[in-house]
Amino acid sequence: PMLRDDDNIELFRRYREQNGNADVPQDHPILGEWARRTRDEYIRMDLSDERIGRLEAAGFDWQLSFEDRLRQLRLYSEGDDGNGDVNPPRNHAVLGEWARSVRQSYRNGQLPTEHAASLVAMGFVWSQHDAPPPPRTTAWE
């Protein structure tokens, strides 16, 4: 039987305390599938800010690859929030901090060239100074 999310988070918290890490093996009888499914939901941005907060407070580690983040960026740009834009705002629950971190790595010369190229191909902006101006609106008088 499937447990409620709160029960799984509590089991995860106990697992982390007992094992000293958040690396739940995929073959764990209860938490393995739940952790995988939760990460998939996070990648698809199907988690509420509130649930993300509860998971992070419990020490959940997203363990996302760069490709997972690119997928999230594509989903963001295709969704209602992004409207074709691949530059999420800093306060975006899932991508804001990641985008800031990527820009910092780029400025410090620590972002792998292939990662930078993938982002450039999507239209990622490295600095707000390079961002296209917002669309003009016509004021009706």
Side-chain angles (χ1 to χ4, degrees):
M2 288 196 45
L3 298 173
R4 289 187 2 231
D5 198 51
D6 288 339
D7 295 333
N8 281 323
I9 290 173
E10 183 54 35
L11 280 174
F12 169 76
R13 190 186 315 269
R14 280 193 250 145
Y15 175 90
R16 203 179 104 241
E17 288 172 6
Q18 290 171 356
N19 294 282
N21 66 63
D23 302 328
V24 177
Q26 289 205 345
D27 62 353
H28 187 280
I30 298 171
L31 294 175
E33 177 62 22
W34 172 80
R36 186 202 59 74
R37 198 174 52 254
T38 299
R39 283 189 187 91
D40 286 348
E41 290 171 2
Y42 182 81
I43 290 168
R44 291 190 317 268
M45 294 186 293
D46 285 344
L47 297 178
S48 68
D49 292 354
E50 183 268 333
R51 186 167 173 217
I52 290 170
R54 286 186 306 140
L55 288 160
E56 289 178 349
F60 196 83
D61 182 359
W62 300 111
Q63 300 176 352
L64 300 180
S65 68
F66 183 77
E67 289 72 25
D68 290 335
R69 291 296 192 176
L70 284 182
R71 184 171 166 219
Q72 284 184 320
L73 204 53
R74 278 188 207 94
L75 289 169
Y76 168 79
S77 72
E78 294 166 1
D80 294 336
D81 291 343
N83 293 318
D85 182 19
V86 294
N87 298 288
R90 284 184 180 203
N91 66 350
H92 189 273
V94 175
L95 291 170
E97 179 58 28
W98 176 78
R100 188 203 62 73
S101 172
V102 165
R103 288 183 178 103
Q104 184 70 39
S105 294
Y106 179 77
R107 282 193 294 277
N108 294 339
Q110 297 173 333
L111 187 68
T113 306
E114 61 274 9
H115 291 185
S118 295
L119 289 163
V120 166
M122 291 177 72
F124 193 78
V125 175
W126 299 109
S127 162
Q128 294 298 49
H129 303 295
D130 300 331
R136 295 169 62 103
T137 58
T138 305
W140 297 97
E141 295 181 34

